[in-house]
Amino acid sequence: MGAYILRRLLLMIPTLIGIMLINFVLTQFVPGGPVEQIIARIEGSGDVFSNITGGGGEIAVQQQPSGNERYLGARGLPPEFIAELEAQFGLDRPAHERFVKMLGDYLRFDFGESYFRKISVIDLVIEKMPVSITLGLWSTLLAYLISIPLGIRKAVKDGSAFDTWTSGAIIIAYAIPGFLFAVLLIVLFAGGSYWRIFPLRGLTSDNFAELSLLGKAGDYLWHIALPVIASTISSFATLTLLTKNSFLDEINKQYVLTAKAKGLTEGRVLYGHVFRNAMLIVIAGFPGLFLAVLFGGGLLIETIFSLDGLGRLGYEAAVARDYPVVFGTLYVFGLLGLVIGLLSDLTYVLVDPRIDFEKRAG
């Protein structure tokens, strides 16, 4: 098993390089880089994208009281100043040199400093990470706590009235986008139009530091309830159907019929024999589910509930062309996904020791 883990760890290096290379190449063709962003702001255009989309006109010609001279902003910026900006951002060097330097820095976990926030990228990611991790972990945990018992029950009661109406509820839940369900929760329970039971924004109250330990835990759960429920709505539906189908496939196998013929109770057959085999595919979906909840709907959920997490950070950095933040978060996300994938394989072995990745690799 040690050799397999080592191979997977070594494989992460070219995988990360490939991810970074593809995205780095794409950014070279995207208009409105960081230098253009600053020029647009200095010249008064506000946003470089207004000129790209045709929304902004030419800079107005303003006159001094003494004559018809233009302001310096209307005449454009000196080429020396633009060259200095390019050198400051490292854009004066060829693209391949910048890419190689970036990889070397990232291998040492040196992500540089944000162009516009004057803070190191690693500090920025650490600052925003707790919000996204909170949403991801709680939503995934809640989805598993609901989906596994419900999926098993649906498999046992396959074709019954219980299976039919729960399937209808699951389909409706799957069809509702997480952000739309979040708005509905706010309207109903956060003072939108009906009850004001839960807070509208943030992870903690203003007096959080003054609360007792039990009070802090309650305040935290009070704030996180609606965002977690909104993030869980679609993932729990998928996981429930996956669990049901997995158990149905195992229940119809010969070894289950043999176990029942020997006089074993239904609970002993279901949880002593079927559970271990059926849960393998459910465990395999954990990395994808966690990453989907963590990064997939993070932007919209964080925006709706005013949570300052990685989703909003990545979006704002992409809009502002803050490349150190964009590539730094991309590197962290990619590395986290690969590590979670490896942990998923190790969980396979923990659940079913008969699985041997060494032999499969050989």
Side-chain angles (χ1 to χ4, degrees):
M1 194 63 185
Y4 171 77
I5 296 175
L6 180 60
R7 282 197 299 270
R8 286 291 299 271
L9 291 175
L10 293 176
L11 186 61
M12 292 181 185
I13 298 176
T15 303
L16 278 175
I17 293 176
I19 293 173
M20 301 303 294
L21 177 60
I22 292 173
N23 286 273
F24 183 85
V25 171
L26 289 176
T27 58
Q28 306 308 306
F29 300 98
V30 176
V35 174
E36 288 80 1
Q37 291 276 357
I38 293 179
I39 292 174
R41 295 176 186 177
I42 293 177
E43 291 183 340
S45 302
D47 195 323
V48 69
F49 300 108
S50 61
N51 292 330
I52 295 174
T53 57
E58 294 184 4
I59 302 170
V61 178
Q62 305 183 44
Q63 294 184 346
Q64 299 279 10
S66 58
N68 295 325
E69 289 189 31
R70 294 183 180 184
Y71 287 118
L72 181 60
R75 294 202 304 266
L77 298 174
E80 298 81 7
F81 177 74
I82 297 177
E84 183 179 344
L85 283 178
E86 292 179 345
Q88 180 180 348
F89 292 137
L91 300 176
D92 56 335
R93 290 179 293 179
H96 67 277
E97 291 185 10
R98 288 186 277 121
F99 179 72
V100 171
K101 182 182 184 302
M102 181 183 70
L103 283 184
D105 293 338
Y106 283 11
L107 289 176
R108 303 192 307 270
F109 289 93
D110 178 11
F111 301 111
E113 187 178 271
S114 169
Y115 285 161
F116 306 110
R117 297 175 184 252
K118 299 303 179 183
I119 183 176
S120 68
V121 174
I122 191 67
D123 290 339
L124 201 55
V125 171
I126 292 174
E127 177 186 335
K128 312 297 183 183
M129 182 73 79
V131 174
S132 298
I133 291 294
T134 292
L135 283 177
L137 285 180
W138 280 111
S139 299
T140 305
L141 178 62
L142 183 61
Y144 269 78
L145 288 176
I146 296 174
S147 301
I148 292 177
L150 181 59
I152 295 175
R153 187 66 176 173
K154 286 175 62 62
V156 174
K157 299 291 185 179
D158 184 43
S160 66
F162 172 82
D163 181 44
T164 301
W165 71 262
T166 52
S167 294
I170 288 172
I171 291 173
I172 294 174
Y174 183 76
I176 300 176
F179 72 91
L180 185 60
F181 190 66
V183 174
L184 177 63
L185 291 176
I186 290 177
V187 171
L188 292 177
F189 303 113
S193 298
Y194 296 91
W195 305 281
R196 189 175 182 84
I197 301 175
F198 295 96
L200 183 59
R201 62 184 64 224
L203 283 181
T204 57
S205 300
D206 294 335
N207 63 335
F208 182 79
E210 303 171 3
L211 299 175
S212 63
L213 183 60
L214 186 60
K216 289 181 178 179
D219 183 74
Y220 169 76
L221 293 176
W222 183 47
H223 280 77
I224 204 65
L226 294 187
V228 167
I229 293 174
S231 299
T232 308
I233 184 68
S234 60
S235 57
F236 108 86
T238 304
L239 189 57
T240 299
L241 295 178
L242 179 64
T243 303
K244 175 194 172 182
N245 294 332
S246 179
F247 270 80
L248 276 179
D249 185 57
E250 291 294 324
I251 287 173
N252 295 323
K253 289 186 177 179
Q254 184 62 42
Y255 76 90
V256 176
L257 300 177
T258 303
K260 290 181 178 179
K262 290 182 178 180
L264 296 179
T265 63
E266 182 178 353
R268 179 71 181 276
V269 172
L270 194 62
Y271 293 99
H273 297 275
V274 176
F275 185 83
R276 183 178 64 179
N277 297 326
M279 283 301 295
L280 289 176
I281 191 171
V282 178
I283 292 173
F286 175 81
L289 178 62
F290 177 75
L291 292 178
V293 173
L294 186 61
F295 306 129
L299 170 61
L300 294 175
I301 298 298
E302 289 172 10
T303 301
I304 292 172
F305 290 100
S306 299
L307 302 176
D308 197 8
L310 291 175
R312 289 182 62 183
L313 173 65
Y315 171 75
E316 292 171 358
V319 170
R321 299 298 191 263
D322 196 345
Y323 290 148
V325 177
V326 171
F327 290 116
T329 53
L330 178 66
Y331 185 86
V332 172
F333 292 170
L335 182 60
L336 184 61
L338 293 172
V339 171
I340 289 178
L342 176 58
L343 293 177
S344 176
D345 288 348
L346 298 180
T347 308
Y348 269 130
V349 179
L350 184 63
V351 174
D352 190 350
R354 293 173 300 175
I355 296 179
D356 191 344
F357 287 105
E358 290 286 352
K359 291 182 180 179
R360 294 191 177 190

